[in-house]
Amino acid sequence: MSELLEIFADKMNFSYELVRPSDLMWGGPQTDGSWTGMLGMLQRLEVEFAIGPFGVTDLRETVCDFSEPVHSENNAILMVRPTLQNDVSGFLKPFAFEVWLLMLLSLVSVVGAVTLLTDNTLAEDKIYSFDSRNTLVKAAMWSLKALTQESSVWLPKSRLIVITWLLVSYVFASSYSGILTAMLTVPQVSIPIDSLADLVAQSHLPWRLETGSMMFQYFKESNDEVLLKVFRGVSGTFPDCWAAREDVANGKFAAICDKTTMKKAMSWDFSTSGKCHLYISKEKVYSNALIAMAFKINSTYLAPANHIISLMKESGILYKWLGDQITNTSQCLRPPTSDRGEGIAPLNIEVVEGPFLLLAGGLTVSLIAFLSELTVWYSCGGNHKSPRNA
């Protein structure tokens, strides 16, 4: 906008002085009818016009006259870029919770069926010298070993159950191992926040709004439930999105900003660090807002300013200036899943630590149970000699 101001001064033959509002705000209405920020300065006739640029709203037009729109703007959520995080419970992710639950129910059903059929064939056990003791334990161990693709000496007598469960176990284990391998070697980046609904549904990343901005007023006056949650849950405000770019990149909070400023912040981030630390949500918070300069009501500078802006838009110079401010953004505008350039990643300890932690937990519980049994056995006067037959 500085280039446009220079052209205004040259073509309309005036000199100017840039004045910042004391509260460093765009401007918003107060309960007594006065306005804050730059729009308040226009309302009090302290300045001739404000560069902004401002989002055009009916409420703002009560205290100023807007110029010809410079361009249209979309607003979205700016936040720290999601990265690949190792998940301890990742070994459970190949299947949804419903699949695991149904598989557990199937396991219990097979154990129950095998136990019931075995207990009802005691005569056959005697004829063929089968040991029918601890049937439930044997059925449970066989069913679990079949599911985990382990061999077992003991087999149930029902061929139908054996064949069916072996086939189900094979399909389940093969699918699980294949999906898990793909997930671990070609990891995906989870994007927890991509819309306003996602933003208000989480609590780990606070969010803030621009003080006195169009979006601040938009959320404040909205009747939509999600938009109201955004306003009520806001953790504070900031002067403008450009000034807040470092705090957003460091993950201190998410910001709702215009896309032009967000892309400019991305350009600054990549140009200074060589990496992408910022992410723009896919969902638009506000679409096609008209962006213009604000003049005091009935300003004599408005008509010639509109003529200059129209000529600059028709010639494409305004869009060229805008493009010059936004460079080095192509990499950062790509989805976070593309950040892992090497594609297939080797498995490391952090990736597979979940199953090993589960194994360690199981061994610990087993050791505690074993030591408890020994303690109880010795406390009851147990010895190492076998009892003699009476």
Side-chain angles (χ1 to χ4, degrees):
M1 299 301 291
S2 61
E3 296 92 343
L4 190 57
L5 178 60
E6 290 292 340
I7 293 178
F8 282 173
D10 179 61
K11 297 301 181 182
M12 289 187 271
N13 193 25
F14 65 79
S15 59
Y16 61 87
E17 179 185 359
L18 295 176
V19 180
R20 286 180 176 270
S22 57
D23 54 13
L24 302 178
M25 294 172 59
W26 298 96
Q30 295 182 304
T31 55
D32 60 358
S34 63
W35 282 62
T36 60
M38 288 183 281
L39 293 178
M41 298 175 71
L42 286 172
Q43 183 192 40
R44 297 187 296 271
L45 306 180
E46 297 174 1
V47 295
E48 189 67 32
F49 61 88
I51 301 176
F54 298 87
V56 178
T57 66
D58 293 337
L59 182 61
R60 286 178 168 180
E61 286 184 316
T62 61
V63 295
C64 70
D65 288 334
F66 286 107
S67 69
E68 176 83 9
V70 178
H71 67 98
S72 62
E73 189 62 88
N74 298 318
N75 288 265
I77 306 170
L78 181 68
M79 71 198 81
V80 64
R81 191 172 183 86
T83 56
L84 180 64
Q85 300 291 335
N86 292 315
D87 190 358
V88 176
S89 61
F91 66 95
L92 298 175
K93 299 297 177 65
F95 295 122
F97 173 77
E98 294 81 1
V99 177
W100 287 111
L101 181 61
L102 290 174
M103 202 62 201
L104 178 61
L105 292 176
S106 300
L107 177 63
V108 173
S109 300
V110 169
V111 171
V114 170
T115 302
L116 182 63
L117 290 175
T118 302
D119 285 342
N120 288 336
T121 56
L122 293 179
E124 185 178 355
D125 289 343
K126 293 179 180 178
I127 293 175
Y128 293 100
S129 302
F130 288 132
D131 186 2
S132 60
R133 293 176 299 175
N134 301 321
T135 304
L136 177 61
V137 175
K138 292 179 180 179
M141 291 300 299
W142 174 81
S143 302
L144 188 59
K145 285 184 176 182
L147 184 61
T148 56
Q149 305 293 288
E150 295 184 37
S151 61
S152 177
V153 177
W154 185 87
L155 286 175
K157 299 175 183 62
S158 174
R159 295 180 180 179
L160 179 61
I161 294 180
V162 170
I163 295 174
T164 302
W165 186 242
L166 287 176
L167 288 175
V168 169
S169 301
Y170 176 76
V171 172
F172 181 82
S174 299
S175 301
Y176 175 80
S177 60
I179 296 173
L180 181 62
T181 302
M183 290 176 61
L184 294 179
T185 55
V186 187
Q188 300 295 316
V189 179
S190 174
I191 302 177
I193 302 173
D194 229 350
S195 65
L196 286 178
D198 295 337
L199 184 67
V200 299
Q202 55 84 44
S203 58
H204 69 276
L205 182 64
W207 62 90
R208 297 183 184 180
L209 301 173
E210 279 186 289
T211 307
S213 65
M214 179 194 74
M215 295 307 300
F216 185 90
Q217 204 68 26
Y218 171 68
F219 285 110
K220 182 179 179 180
E221 298 175 352
S222 176
N223 294 322
D224 183 84
E225 182 180 353
V226 175
L227 300 183
L228 283 176
K229 286 183 178 180
V230 172
F231 183 77
R232 293 168 182 167
V234 69
S235 65
T237 58
F238 51 87
D240 62 84
C241 289
W242 177 250
R245 65 190 186 280
E246 290 189 59
D247 289 336
V248 175
N250 291 329
K252 292 184 179 180
F253 56 84
I256 297 176
C257 308
D258 63 278
K259 281 201 169 183
T260 298
T261 304
M262 290 192 288
K263 290 180 181 179
K264 186 177 178 181
M266 278 187 167
S267 175
W268 162 84
D269 177 42
F270 191 81
S271 298
T272 55
S273 67
K275 298 181 179 180
C276 300
H277 300 101
L278 294 169
Y279 175 74
I280 301 175
S281 66
K282 289 184 179 180
E283 183 190 74
K284 297 176 183 177
V285 175
Y286 195 96
S287 301
N288 299 321
L290 296 178
I291 306 300
M293 299 174 66
F295 289 73
K296 73 179 184 180
I297 294 178
N298 298 324
S299 172
T300 57
Y301 291 91
L302 179 59
N306 283 338
H307 179 67
I308 294 173
I309 292 174
S310 297
L311 291 177
M312 302 295 286
K313 288 171 62 178
E314 291 172 2
S315 64
I317 295 178
L318 276 179
Y319 303 108
K320 180 183 182 303
W321 286 343
L322 188 61
D324 291 341
Q325 296 293 319
I326 303 173
T327 58
N328 296 329
T329 58
S330 56
Q331 175 65 29
C332 298
L333 288 174
R334 297 171 63 187
T337 51
S338 64
D339 292 346
R340 200 171 188 87
E342 63 268 23
I344 298 178
L347 299 181
N348 52 37
I349 298 298
E350 293 181 352
V351 172
V352 295
E353 64 181 346
F356 283 104
L357 288 175
L358 184 64
L359 176 62
L363 292 176
T364 301
V365 172
S366 301
L367 179 61
I368 293 174
F370 174 70
L371 294 177
S372 300
E373 290 181 1
L374 284 180
T375 302
V376 172
W377 186 67
Y378 278 112
S379 63
C380 294
N383 55 61
H384 298 284
K385 295 181 179 179
S386 301
R388 296 180 178 179
N389 295 328

